[in-house]
mmCIF file of all heavy atoms in Angstrom:
data_model
loop_
_atom_site.group_PDB
_atom_site.id
_atom_site.type_symbol
_atom_site.label_atom_id
_atom_site.label_comp_id
_atom_site.label_asym_id
_atom_site.label_seq_id
_atom_site.Cartn_x
_atom_site.Cartn_y
_atom_site.Cartn_z
ATOM 1 N N LEU A 1 -15.256 0.003 0.540
ATOM 2 C CA LEU A 1 -13.860 -0.223 0.725
ATOM 3 C C LEU A 1 -13.570 -1.019 2.020
ATOM 4 O O LEU A 1 -12.778 -1.931 2.054
ATOM 5 C CB LEU A 1 -13.117 1.132 0.743
ATOM 6 C CG LEU A 1 -11.567 1.056 0.701
ATOM 7 C CD1 LEU A 1 -11.139 0.402 -0.575
ATOM 8 C CD2 LEU A 1 -11.042 2.503 0.741
ATOM 9 N N ARG A 2 -14.309 -0.672 3.045
ATOM 10 C CA ARG A 2 -14.114 -1.319 4.346
ATOM 11 C C ARG A 2 -14.628 -2.786 4.347
ATOM 12 O O ARG A 2 -14.193 -3.564 5.149
ATOM 13 C CB ARG A 2 -14.781 -0.559 5.452
ATOM 14 C CG ARG A 2 -14.041 0.746 5.716
ATOM 15 C CD ARG A 2 -14.621 1.560 6.860
ATOM 16 N NE ARG A 2 -13.822 2.779 7.089
ATOM 17 C CZ ARG A 2 -14.387 3.965 7.296
ATOM 18 N NH1 ARG A 2 -15.716 4.082 7.345
ATOM 19 N NH2 ARG A 2 -13.605 5.005 7.482
ATOM 20 N N THR A 3 -15.533 -3.090 3.451
ATOM 21 C CA THR A 3 -16.093 -4.458 3.390
ATOM 22 C C THR A 3 -15.193 -5.394 2.557
ATOM 23 O O THR A 3 -15.414 -6.612 2.599
ATOM 24 C CB THR A 3 -17.495 -4.482 2.816
ATOM 25 O OG1 THR A 3 -17.503 -3.973 1.511
ATOM 26 C CG2 THR A 3 -18.465 -3.680 3.682
ATOM 27 N N LEU A 4 -14.209 -4.812 1.786
ATOM 28 C CA LEU A 4 -13.378 -5.672 1.012
ATOM 29 C C LEU A 4 -12.446 -6.486 1.917
ATOM 30 O O LEU A 4 -11.916 -5.961 2.875
ATOM 31 C CB LEU A 4 -12.531 -4.824 0.065
ATOM 32 C CG LEU A 4 -13.254 -4.148 -1.106
ATOM 33 C CD1 LEU A 4 -12.266 -3.263 -1.903
ATOM 34 C CD2 LEU A 4 -13.861 -5.132 -2.048
ATOM 35 N N SER A 5 -12.194 -7.730 1.537
ATOM 36 C CA SER A 5 -11.191 -8.526 2.251
ATOM 37 C C SER A 5 -9.797 -8.058 1.846
ATOM 38 O O SER A 5 -9.649 -7.337 0.905
ATOM 39 C CB SER A 5 -11.394 -10.003 1.934
ATOM 40 O OG SER A 5 -10.965 -10.264 0.572
ATOM 41 N N ASP A 6 -8.797 -8.466 2.591
ATOM 42 C CA ASP A 6 -7.442 -8.129 2.239
ATOM 43 C C ASP A 6 -7.025 -8.627 0.808
ATOM 44 O O ASP A 6 -6.454 -7.923 0.044
ATOM 45 C CB ASP A 6 -6.455 -8.716 3.217
ATOM 46 C CG ASP A 6 -6.500 -8.067 4.637
ATOM 47 O OD1 ASP A 6 -7.139 -6.948 4.710
ATOM 48 O OD2 ASP A 6 -5.945 -8.572 5.562
ATOM 49 N N ALA A 7 -7.481 -9.828 0.509
ATOM 50 C CA ALA A 7 -7.213 -10.397 -0.839
ATOM 51 C C ALA A 7 -7.877 -9.595 -1.903
ATOM 52 O O ALA A 7 -7.297 -9.286 -2.985
ATOM 53 C CB ALA A 7 -7.638 -11.841 -0.913
ATOM 54 N N GLU A 8 -9.098 -9.171 -1.690
ATOM 55 C CA GLU A 8 -9.828 -8.355 -2.668
ATOM 56 C C GLU A 8 -9.138 -6.984 -2.843
ATOM 57 O O GLU A 8 -9.017 -6.486 -3.981
ATOM 58 C CB GLU A 8 -11.307 -8.198 -2.298
ATOM 59 C CG GLU A 8 -12.091 -9.466 -2.330
ATOM 60 C CD GLU A 8 -13.470 -9.241 -1.729
ATOM 61 O OE1 GLU A 8 -13.631 -8.546 -0.729
ATOM 62 O OE2 GLU A 8 -14.450 -9.895 -2.200
ATOM 63 N N LEU A 9 -8.740 -6.418 -1.734
ATOM 64 C CA LEU A 9 -8.122 -5.122 -1.800
ATOM 65 C C LEU A 9 -6.800 -5.204 -2.549
ATOM 66 O O LEU A 9 -6.485 -4.350 -3.355
ATOM 67 C CB LEU A 9 -7.902 -4.602 -0.345
ATOM 68 C CG LEU A 9 -7.448 -3.138 -0.238
ATOM 69 C CD1 LEU A 9 -8.489 -2.203 -0.788
ATOM 70 C CD2 LEU A 9 -7.237 -2.871 1.286
ATOM 71 N N GLU A 10 -6.023 -6.281 -2.262
ATOM 72 C CA GLU A 10 -4.756 -6.481 -3.007
ATOM 73 C C GLU A 10 -4.993 -6.649 -4.514
ATOM 74 O O GLU A 10 -4.289 -6.145 -5.344
ATOM 75 C CB GLU A 10 -4.016 -7.647 -2.427
ATOM 76 C CG GLU A 10 -3.379 -7.394 -1.070
ATOM 77 C CD GLU A 10 -2.699 -8.610 -0.501
ATOM 78 O OE1 GLU A 10 -2.465 -9.603 -1.267
ATOM 79 O OE2 GLU A 10 -2.393 -8.582 0.671
ATOM 80 N N ALA A 11 -6.047 -7.400 -4.870
ATOM 81 C CA ALA A 11 -6.362 -7.619 -6.270
ATOM 82 C C ALA A 11 -6.766 -6.344 -6.927
ATOM 83 O O ALA A 11 -6.316 -6.054 -8.106
ATOM 84 C CB ALA A 11 -7.512 -8.651 -6.388
ATOM 85 N N GLN A 12 -7.520 -5.530 -6.280
ATOM 86 C CA GLN A 12 -7.919 -4.163 -6.854
ATOM 87 C C GLN A 12 -6.714 -3.342 -7.033
ATOM 88 O O GLN A 12 -6.549 -2.649 -8.024
ATOM 89 C CB GLN A 12 -8.916 -3.475 -5.895
ATOM 90 C CG GLN A 12 -10.304 -4.087 -5.922
ATOM 91 C CD GLN A 12 -11.001 -3.867 -7.267
ATOM 92 O OE1 GLN A 12 -10.784 -2.906 -7.949
ATOM 93 N NE2 GLN A 12 -11.804 -4.814 -7.616
ATOM 94 N N HIS A 13 -5.780 -3.348 -6.050
ATOM 95 C CA HIS A 13 -4.572 -2.546 -6.156
ATOM 96 C C HIS A 13 -3.725 -3.029 -7.348
ATOM 97 O O HIS A 13 -3.289 -2.167 -8.170
ATOM 98 C CB HIS A 13 -3.726 -2.655 -4.835
ATOM 99 C CG HIS A 13 -2.433 -2.043 -4.950
ATOM 100 N ND1 HIS A 13 -1.317 -2.686 -5.483
ATOM 101 C CD2 HIS A 13 -1.979 -0.785 -4.650
ATOM 102 C CE1 HIS A 13 -0.255 -1.894 -5.466
ATOM 103 N NE2 HIS A 13 -0.644 -0.733 -5.010
ATOM 104 N N ASP A 14 -3.502 -4.340 -7.438
ATOM 105 C CA ASP A 14 -2.663 -4.826 -8.519
ATOM 106 C C ASP A 14 -3.303 -4.547 -9.891
ATOM 107 O O ASP A 14 -2.602 -4.279 -10.854
ATOM 108 C CB ASP A 14 -2.445 -6.339 -8.317
ATOM 109 C CG ASP A 14 -1.646 -6.660 -7.115
ATOM 110 O OD1 ASP A 14 -0.983 -5.742 -6.554
ATOM 111 O OD2 ASP A 14 -1.571 -7.831 -6.666
ATOM 112 N N ASN A 15 -4.598 -4.603 -9.931
ATOM 113 C CA ASN A 15 -5.293 -4.280 -11.222
ATOM 114 C C ASN A 15 -5.078 -2.838 -11.627
ATOM 115 O O ASN A 15 -4.757 -2.555 -12.796
ATOM 116 C CB ASN A 15 -6.785 -4.618 -11.072
ATOM 117 C CG ASN A 15 -7.548 -4.451 -12.362
ATOM 118 O OD1 ASN A 15 -6.983 -4.561 -13.435
ATOM 119 N ND2 ASN A 15 -8.849 -4.212 -12.236
ATOM 120 N N LYS A 16 -5.184 -1.937 -10.715
ATOM 121 C CA LYS A 16 -4.985 -0.484 -11.009
ATOM 122 C C LYS A 16 -3.491 -0.126 -11.188
ATOM 123 O O LYS A 16 -3.151 0.755 -11.926
ATOM 124 C CB LYS A 16 -5.574 0.350 -9.887
ATOM 125 C CG LYS A 16 -7.030 0.198 -9.680
ATOM 126 C CD LYS A 16 -7.782 0.853 -10.763
ATOM 127 C CE LYS A 16 -9.294 0.714 -10.456
ATOM 128 N NZ LYS A 16 -10.149 1.005 -11.548
ATOM 129 N N ALA A 17 -2.627 -0.892 -10.488
ATOM 130 C CA ALA A 17 -1.199 -0.503 -10.511
ATOM 131 C C ALA A 17 -0.568 -0.682 -11.913
ATOM 132 O O ALA A 17 0.380 0.037 -12.237
ATOM 133 C CB ALA A 17 -0.447 -1.383 -9.500
ATOM 134 N N SER A 18 -1.099 -1.585 -12.728
ATOM 135 C CA SER A 18 -0.505 -1.823 -14.032
ATOM 136 C C SER A 18 -0.758 -0.643 -14.985
ATOM 137 O O SER A 18 -0.020 -0.491 -15.967
ATOM 138 C CB SER A 18 -1.095 -3.099 -14.657
ATOM 139 O OG SER A 18 -2.457 -2.953 -14.867
ATOM 140 N N SER A 19 -1.700 0.199 -14.647
ATOM 141 C CA SER A 19 -1.974 1.344 -15.547
ATOM 142 C C SER A 19 -1.840 2.683 -14.847
ATOM 143 O O SER A 19 -2.358 3.678 -15.329
ATOM 144 C CB SER A 19 -3.417 1.227 -16.115
ATOM 145 O OG SER A 19 -4.366 1.254 -15.053
ATOM 146 N N THR A 20 -1.099 2.717 -13.707
ATOM 147 C CA THR A 20 -1.029 3.945 -12.928
ATOM 148 C C THR A 20 0.443 4.283 -12.757
ATOM 149 O O THR A 20 1.293 3.350 -12.460
ATOM 150 C CB THR A 20 -1.667 3.765 -11.541
ATOM 151 O OG1 THR A 20 -3.013 3.397 -11.751
ATOM 152 C CG2 THR A 20 -1.589 5.003 -10.752
ATOM 153 N N GLU A 21 0.822 5.507 -12.862
ATOM 154 C CA GLU A 21 2.172 5.972 -12.557
ATOM 155 C C GLU A 21 2.173 6.577 -11.190
ATOM 156 O O GLU A 21 1.358 7.472 -10.888
ATOM 157 C CB GLU A 21 2.648 6.982 -13.604
ATOM 158 C CG GLU A 21 4.154 7.330 -13.486
ATOM 159 C CD GLU A 21 4.585 8.156 -14.644
ATOM 160 O OE1 GLU A 21 4.208 7.916 -15.792
ATOM 161 O OE2 GLU A 21 5.428 9.046 -14.362
ATOM 162 N N MET A 22 3.107 6.142 -10.345
ATOM 163 C CA MET A 22 3.091 6.591 -8.983
ATOM 164 C C MET A 22 4.156 7.680 -8.765
ATOM 165 O O MET A 22 5.197 7.655 -9.385
ATOM 166 C CB MET A 22 3.426 5.408 -8.015
ATOM 167 C CG MET A 22 2.465 4.257 -8.168
ATOM 168 S SD MET A 22 0.689 4.672 -8.155
ATOM 169 C CE MET A 22 0.546 5.209 -6.499
ATOM 170 N N GLY A 23 3.855 8.559 -7.832
ATOM 171 C CA GLY A 23 4.810 9.586 -7.488
ATOM 172 C C GLY A 23 5.659 9.149 -6.298
ATOM 173 O O GLY A 23 5.590 8.026 -5.822
ATOM 174 N N LEU A 24 6.544 10.086 -5.862
ATOM 175 C CA LEU A 24 7.473 9.738 -4.782
ATOM 176 C C LEU A 24 6.727 9.443 -3.474
ATOM 177 O O LEU A 24 7.216 8.632 -2.665
ATOM 178 C CB LEU A 24 8.401 10.902 -4.585
ATOM 179 C CG LEU A 24 9.451 11.110 -5.671
ATOM 180 C CD1 LEU A 24 10.329 12.336 -5.382
ATOM 181 C CD2 LEU A 24 10.309 9.865 -5.827
ATOM 182 N N SER A 25 5.606 10.085 -3.191
ATOM 183 C CA SER A 25 4.894 9.890 -1.966
ATOM 184 C C SER A 25 4.456 8.407 -1.812
ATOM 185 O O SER A 25 4.349 7.930 -0.704
ATOM 186 C CB SER A 25 3.709 10.810 -1.854
ATOM 187 O OG SER A 25 2.763 10.509 -2.871
ATOM 188 N N TYR A 26 4.227 7.741 -2.936
ATOM 189 C CA TYR A 26 3.863 6.331 -2.896
ATOM 190 C C TYR A 26 4.976 5.475 -2.188
ATOM 191 O O TYR A 26 4.646 4.674 -1.344
ATOM 192 C CB TYR A 26 3.609 5.813 -4.313
ATOM 193 C CG TYR A 26 3.296 4.343 -4.438
ATOM 194 C CD1 TYR A 26 1.986 3.913 -4.206
ATOM 195 C CD2 TYR A 26 4.226 3.429 -4.881
ATOM 196 C CE1 TYR A 26 1.683 2.550 -4.323
ATOM 197 C CE2 TYR A 26 3.909 2.085 -5.015
ATOM 198 C CZ TYR A 26 2.657 1.692 -4.753
ATOM 199 O OH TYR A 26 2.324 0.345 -4.870
ATOM 200 N N TYR A 27 6.184 5.759 -2.606
ATOM 201 C CA TYR A 27 7.294 4.961 -2.011
ATOM 202 C C TYR A 27 7.602 5.453 -0.609
ATOM 203 O O TYR A 27 7.916 4.670 0.272
ATOM 204 C CB TYR A 27 8.585 5.218 -2.905
ATOM 205 C CG TYR A 27 8.316 4.643 -4.297
ATOM 206 C CD1 TYR A 27 8.041 5.502 -5.376
ATOM 207 C CD2 TYR A 27 8.367 3.304 -4.488
ATOM 208 C CE1 TYR A 27 7.817 4.952 -6.612
ATOM 209 C CE2 TYR A 27 8.154 2.753 -5.784
ATOM 210 C CZ TYR A 27 7.849 3.609 -6.847
ATOM 211 O OH TYR A 27 7.642 3.114 -8.073
ATOM 212 N N LEU A 28 7.416 6.763 -0.340
ATOM 213 C CA LEU A 28 7.625 7.237 1.050
ATOM 214 C C LEU A 28 6.580 6.671 1.988
ATOM 215 O O LEU A 28 6.890 6.253 3.143
ATOM 216 C CB LEU A 28 7.546 8.754 1.080
ATOM 217 C CG LEU A 28 8.729 9.512 0.404
ATOM 218 C CD1 LEU A 28 8.425 10.989 0.318
ATOM 219 C CD2 LEU A 28 10.012 9.207 1.075
ATOM 220 N N ASP A 29 5.342 6.547 1.530
ATOM 221 C CA ASP A 29 4.284 5.950 2.330
ATOM 222 C C ASP A 29 4.603 4.491 2.644
ATOM 223 O O ASP A 29 4.387 4.007 3.757
ATOM 224 C CB ASP A 29 2.951 6.061 1.679
ATOM 225 C CG ASP A 29 2.385 7.473 1.609
ATOM 226 O OD1 ASP A 29 2.908 8.324 2.355
ATOM 227 O OD2 ASP A 29 1.481 7.758 0.802
ATOM 228 N N GLU A 30 5.070 3.769 1.654
ATOM 229 C CA GLU A 30 5.474 2.374 1.912
ATOM 230 C C GLU A 30 6.613 2.251 2.873
ATOM 231 O O GLU A 30 6.574 1.383 3.770
ATOM 232 C CB GLU A 30 5.777 1.683 0.543
ATOM 233 C CG GLU A 30 6.228 0.241 0.679
ATOM 234 C CD GLU A 30 5.173 -0.705 1.294
ATOM 235 O OE1 GLU A 30 3.938 -0.372 1.187
ATOM 236 O OE2 GLU A 30 5.527 -1.701 1.835
ATOM 237 N N MET A 31 7.615 3.112 2.746
ATOM 238 C CA MET A 31 8.705 3.098 3.695
ATOM 239 C C MET A 31 8.261 3.409 5.126
ATOM 240 O O MET A 31 8.638 2.753 6.089
ATOM 241 C CB MET A 31 9.792 4.065 3.260
ATOM 242 C CG MET A 31 10.548 3.580 1.997
ATOM 243 S SD MET A 31 11.998 4.545 1.450
ATOM 244 C CE MET A 31 11.829 6.158 2.073
ATOM 245 N N ARG A 32 7.316 4.371 5.214
ATOM 246 C CA ARG A 32 6.771 4.679 6.547
ATOM 247 C C ARG A 32 6.004 3.529 7.119
ATOM 248 O O ARG A 32 6.103 3.221 8.333
ATOM 249 C CB ARG A 32 5.891 5.897 6.447
ATOM 250 C CG ARG A 32 6.638 7.214 6.534
ATOM 251 C CD ARG A 32 5.656 8.433 6.697
ATOM 252 N NE ARG A 32 6.225 9.514 5.933
ATOM 253 C CZ ARG A 32 5.817 9.953 4.732
ATOM 254 N NH1 ARG A 32 4.826 9.348 4.173
ATOM 255 N NH2 ARG A 32 6.418 10.935 4.190
ATOM 256 N N ALA A 33 5.192 2.912 6.290
ATOM 257 C CA ALA A 33 4.426 1.730 6.763
ATOM 258 C C ALA A 33 5.325 0.608 7.261
ATOM 259 O O ALA A 33 5.055 0.018 8.310
ATOM 260 C CB ALA A 33 3.490 1.214 5.654
ATOM 261 N N ARG A 34 6.399 0.370 6.508
ATOM 262 C CA ARG A 34 7.314 -0.698 6.963
ATOM 263 C C ARG A 34 8.068 -0.311 8.257
ATOM 264 O O ARG A 34 8.233 -1.156 9.156
ATOM 265 C CB ARG A 34 8.378 -0.974 5.849
ATOM 266 C CG ARG A 34 7.784 -1.636 4.651
ATOM 267 C CD ARG A 34 8.772 -1.862 3.577
ATOM 268 N NE ARG A 34 8.161 -2.369 2.367
ATOM 269 C CZ ARG A 34 8.815 -2.975 1.382
ATOM 270 N NH1 ARG A 34 10.086 -3.111 1.490
ATOM 271 N NH2 ARG A 34 8.145 -3.429 0.367
ATOM 272 N N GLN A 35 8.375 0.984 8.363
ATOM 273 C CA GLN A 35 9.037 1.449 9.596
ATOM 274 C C GLN A 35 8.099 1.339 10.728
ATOM 275 O O GLN A 35 8.489 0.935 11.854
ATOM 276 C CB GLN A 35 9.518 2.880 9.401
ATOM 277 C CG GLN A 35 10.255 3.445 10.592
ATOM 278 C CD GLN A 35 10.684 4.871 10.404
ATOM 279 O OE1 GLN A 35 10.049 5.608 9.632
ATOM 280 N NE2 GLN A 35 11.766 5.288 11.055
ATOM 281 N N GLN A 36 6.828 1.685 10.512
ATOM 282 C CA GLN A 36 5.830 1.603 11.579
ATOM 283 C C GLN A 36 5.625 0.158 12.029
ATOM 284 O O GLN A 36 5.517 -0.126 13.269
ATOM 285 C CB GLN A 36 4.521 2.230 11.192
ATOM 286 C CG GLN A 36 3.496 2.332 12.284
ATOM 287 C CD GLN A 36 4.006 3.234 13.413
ATOM 288 O OE1 GLN A 36 4.487 4.348 13.160
ATOM 289 N NE2 GLN A 36 3.811 2.823 14.625
ATOM 290 N N THR A 37 5.651 -0.761 11.095
ATOM 291 C CA THR A 37 5.488 -2.184 11.419
ATOM 292 C C THR A 37 6.716 -2.672 12.291
ATOM 293 O O THR A 37 6.498 -3.353 13.302
ATOM 294 C CB THR A 37 5.408 -3.008 10.169
ATOM 295 O OG1 THR A 37 4.304 -2.612 9.356
ATOM 296 C CG2 THR A 37 5.348 -4.485 10.462
ATOM 297 N N LYS A 38 7.889 -2.167 11.940
ATOM 298 C CA LYS A 38 9.076 -2.541 12.720
ATOM 299 C C LYS A 38 9.014 -1.949 14.144
ATOM 300 O O LYS A 38 9.284 -2.623 15.088
ATOM 301 C CB LYS A 38 10.307 -2.016 12.003
ATOM 302 C CG LYS A 38 11.600 -2.370 12.673
ATOM 303 C CD LYS A 38 12.824 -1.881 11.899
ATOM 304 C CE LYS A 38 14.100 -2.117 12.691
ATOM 305 N NZ LYS A 38 15.228 -1.527 12.034
ATOM 306 N N ILE A 39 8.561 -0.716 14.240
ATOM 307 C CA ILE A 39 8.404 -0.038 15.536
ATOM 308 C C ILE A 39 7.390 -0.769 16.382
ATOM 309 O O ILE A 39 7.594 -1.017 17.587
ATOM 310 C CB ILE A 39 8.094 1.427 15.360
ATOM 311 C CG1 ILE A 39 9.289 2.193 14.838
ATOM 312 C CG2 ILE A 39 7.539 2.031 16.680
ATOM 313 C CD1 ILE A 39 8.976 3.615 14.408
ATOM 314 N N ASN A 40 6.261 -1.177 15.731
ATOM 315 C CA ASN A 40 5.226 -1.891 16.491
ATOM 316 C C ASN A 40 5.772 -3.240 17.041
ATOM 317 O O ASN A 40 5.428 -3.597 18.160
ATOM 318 C CB ASN A 40 4.037 -2.177 15.583
ATOM 319 C CG ASN A 40 3.241 -0.885 15.319
ATOM 320 O OD1 ASN A 40 3.404 0.114 15.992
ATOM 321 N ND2 ASN A 40 2.388 -0.923 14.307
ATOM 322 N N GLU A 41 6.567 -3.925 16.256
ATOM 323 C CA GLU A 41 7.145 -5.236 16.702
ATOM 324 C C GLU A 41 8.083 -4.968 17.886
ATOM 325 O O GLU A 41 8.092 -5.719 18.838
ATOM 326 C CB GLU A 41 7.804 -5.931 15.563
ATOM 327 C CG GLU A 41 8.452 -7.242 15.958
ATOM 328 C CD GLU A 41 7.519 -8.232 16.520
ATOM 329 O OE1 GLU A 41 6.265 -8.177 16.239
ATOM 330 O OE2 GLU A 41 8.002 -9.115 17.237
#
């Protein structure tokens, strides 16, 4: 996992996302990540 490039990781995510149902924590994690990015800036 650590050896994957960002593009490879995104491709793996997009491949799995089409057949996966996400829970609420998925969206909460994304909101936290965006908030953390804003705080870092």
Side-chain angles (χ1 to χ4, degrees):
L1 192 60
R2 289 182 180 137
T3 60
L4 291 175
S5 69
D6 289 347
E8 291 170 326
L9 191 58
E10 287 177 15
Q12 287 292 327
H13 173 274
D14 292 346
N15 186 23
K16 298 289 183 193
S18 63
S19 62
T20 303
E21 189 171 321
M22 304 311 294
L24 290 177
S25 63
Y26 178 78
Y27 298 101
L28 292 174
D29 289 344
E30 178 61 24
M31 289 185 340
R32 276 190 215 102
R34 291 178 186 198
Q35 183 181 27
Q36 188 62 46
T37 300
K38 183 179 175 185
I39 289 170
N40 288 344
E41 179 60 23

